[in-house]
Amino acid sequence: MNYSDSMFYVVNEDINVRGNIGVKKKIFAQLRVFGKHFPRCLMVYYAHGMAYLLEDGCVIEKEVALSRVECFKWYCEWMKKYHCRWVYMRCIIPATYSYLLFLREMKEMGICVVLEYPTYPYDDEVKNEDILREDREYRGEIGKYISCVTTYARDTTVYGIHTIALQNGVELQENPVRRMRKRGTNIHLLAVAGFYFHHGFERVLEGLYRYYQHPGVYDFYFYMVGEGSEKRNYIQLVKRYGLERFVEFCGVKTGAELDCYYDNADIGIAPIGLYKMGAVSSAPIKTREYCSRGLPFVYGYEDLGFTGEEAYVRKISNSPDPVDMNEIIGLYEATAENRDIINDMRNNSEKNFSWDILLKDVLEYMKDS
């Protein structure tokens, strides 16, 4: 390994959009791990007609790029200037002719490229038929230039390309263990997310509506922390179902404010709408964050990091069915004021969900290439 060489992390979205807070945290967490293994780590991204080059989170170069073609040109210029030997890149959808040319140029430069698919398959997530049509035209050609991809599904190949199965991880120092609430007749639910359609939180709202038709001994309070495209739909459902007293939209929270919401929570709600994307399995960051903080949670798909049999989870159907609140009551009664459960969750996170562990196979592949 030459100490003048560098590794580039290529991001094809604006990391500073409020809805991308979770993505940004993940990218910088991965970069910190890459920084332990490569002489120099840089990041490039494209936003608002500008291409940016960052080191240690600070912009060191920027250039006007009014199109993807211009953006790719600057990426390649910087890769040559900073002696890039390795690239880890989040995939672009749709794949385009100019994208293939970018991949080809990196291959001709002798760069080892690993391409990450945060979601796969993703056809059901893309609502624009023109975008999907273009992607289908070119994505089958990606394997000519890329020999390894990572994905959070169980697939062994993506478009015929060798796959390293990846899980999302957490930085434990950023996710302190929550304080434990006293057991009572109020159950506090918490969803921390970007409120995209695949989160499926309408299933909770519909479940609450059904529950309150014939309420039991428990009252539910649902705290929805975040912003996103689905928030308006959730607000409309809350009004339609008359749940204003039981649902609070809290906005984006970070740091100590976010910690307080975790301290006040009993059960976390992870994504429960992946069926909308045609996805069966996944490994979202949120379940790892809930686990690291010791917050029992509900999810609705095959999670690569959990069997569904753990004492602190409830795996529900990957379908549009309303959440059965009795399932949540059962989880609450099994975990409330149980310090051993919290310790088990934290230990699981330390052993299995740190980025240093999860990126091991990717690092080995890149170093050997």
Side-chain angles (χ1 to χ4, degrees), residues 9 25-35 88 90 116 152 166 168 355 359:
Y9 194 122
K25 285 170 59 179
K26 167 188 168 179
I27 289 169
F28 279 98
Q30 290 178 325
L31 269 170
R32 279 187 279 274
V33 175
F34 287 131
Y88 189 85
R90 287 170 66 87
E116 177 183 300
Y152 299 87
L166 200 59
N168 273 306
W355 279 114
L359 288 172

Side-chain angles (χ1 to χ4, degrees), residues 89-105:
M89 179 167 64
R90 287 170 66 87
C91 72
I92 291 178
I93 301 171
T96 62
Y97 180 68
S98 62
Y99 179 42
L100 294 182
L101 292 180
F102 175 50
L103 298 179
R104 186 178 73 181
E105 185 163 0

Side-chain angles (χ1 to χ4, degrees), residues 53-238:
L53 175 68
L54 283 70
E55 185 170 21
D56 296 328
C58 299
V59 175
I60 60 173
E61 295 206 35
K62 62 181 179 179
E63 296 289 347
V64 174
L66 300 181
S67 67
R68 286 283 184 191
V69 174
E70 291 185 29
C71 177
F72 295 149
K73 178 181 79 79
W74 286 115
Y75 288 179
C76 290
E77 289 293 324
W78 290 332
M79 287 174 184
K80 293 171 185 174
K81 180 178 179 179
Y82 293 94
H83 307 286
C84 177
R85 275 195 57 198
W86 308 273
V87 164
Y88 189 85
M89 179 167 64
R90 287 170 66 87
C91 72
I92 291 178
I93 301 171
T96 62
Y97 180 68
S98 62
Y99 179 42
L100 294 182
L101 292 180
F102 175 50
L103 298 179
R104 186 178 73 181
E105 185 163 0
M106 286 192 291
K107 183 176 181 179
E108 290 174 349
M109 291 164 62
I111 297 172
C112 168
V113 180
V114 175
L115 188 61
E116 177 183 300
Y117 282 85
T119 301
Y120 181 83
Y122 53 78
D123 283 13
D124 290 342
E125 187 178 16
V126 179
K127 300 306 180 184
N128 187 309
E129 284 299 321
D130 291 335
I131 289 177
L132 196 55
R133 191 179 302 111
E134 184 175 25
D135 186 71
R136 286 170 174 162
E137 181 178 354
Y138 291 107
R139 66 193 185 189
E141 303 294 309
I142 292 174
K144 292 180 179 179
Y145 313 108
I146 301 293
S147 56
C148 180
V149 302
T150 62
T151 183
Y152 299 87
R154 297 184 186 274
D155 303 79
T156 56
T157 63
V158 172
Y159 308 132
I161 308 167
H162 166 68
T163 300
I164 295 176
L166 200 59
Q167 296 189 42
N168 273 306
V170 291
E171 291 190 288
L172 295 173
Q173 65 272 23
E174 298 293 324
N175 290 275
V177 176
R178 70 185 177 101
R179 296 190 182 95
M180 187 181 292
R181 263 175 34 88
K182 289 185 178 180
R183 184 167 180 165
T185 57
N186 293 337
I187 299 177
H188 291 189
L189 310 179
L190 176 67
V192 182
F195 295 167
Y196 296 118
F197 81 113
H198 66 268
H199 287 119
F201 296 142
E202 70 280 353
R203 296 180 64 188
V204 177
L205 301 177
E206 290 161 1
L208 287 172
Y209 173 70
R210 292 192 177 193
Y211 176 81
Y212 280 113
Q213 302 304 299
H214 304 284
V217 297
Y218 291 100
D219 275 327
F220 289 92
Y221 295 90
F222 188 20
Y223 297 91
M224 303 184 72
V225 175
E227 298 286 345
S229 56
E230 286 296 293
K231 182 176 179 179
R232 179 177 297 180
N233 294 333
Y234 296 148
I235 291 173
Q236 290 175 347
L237 279 179
V238 167

Side-chain angles (χ1 to χ4, degrees), residues 17-57:
V17 173
R18 291 189 78 189
N20 282 344
I21 288 176
V23 173
K24 184 176 181 179
K25 285 170 59 179
K26 167 188 168 179
I27 289 169
F28 279 98
Q30 290 178 325
L31 269 170
R32 279 187 279 274
V33 175
F34 287 131
K36 299 174 186 178
H37 297 270
F38 296 107
R40 188 175 190 182
C41 287
L42 304 167
M43 185 182 80
V44 290
Y45 78 96
Y46 177 55
H48 308 298
M50 297 290 293
Y52 295 90
L53 175 68
L54 283 70
E55 185 170 21
D56 296 328

Side-chain angles (χ1 to χ4, degrees), residues 25 174 176 252-263 293:
K25 285 170 59 179
E174 298 293 324
V252 174
K253 301 297 178 184
T254 59
E257 277 191 298
L258 181 59
D259 294 343
C260 288
Y261 279 95
Y262 274 103
D263 291 342
R293 287 181 180 263

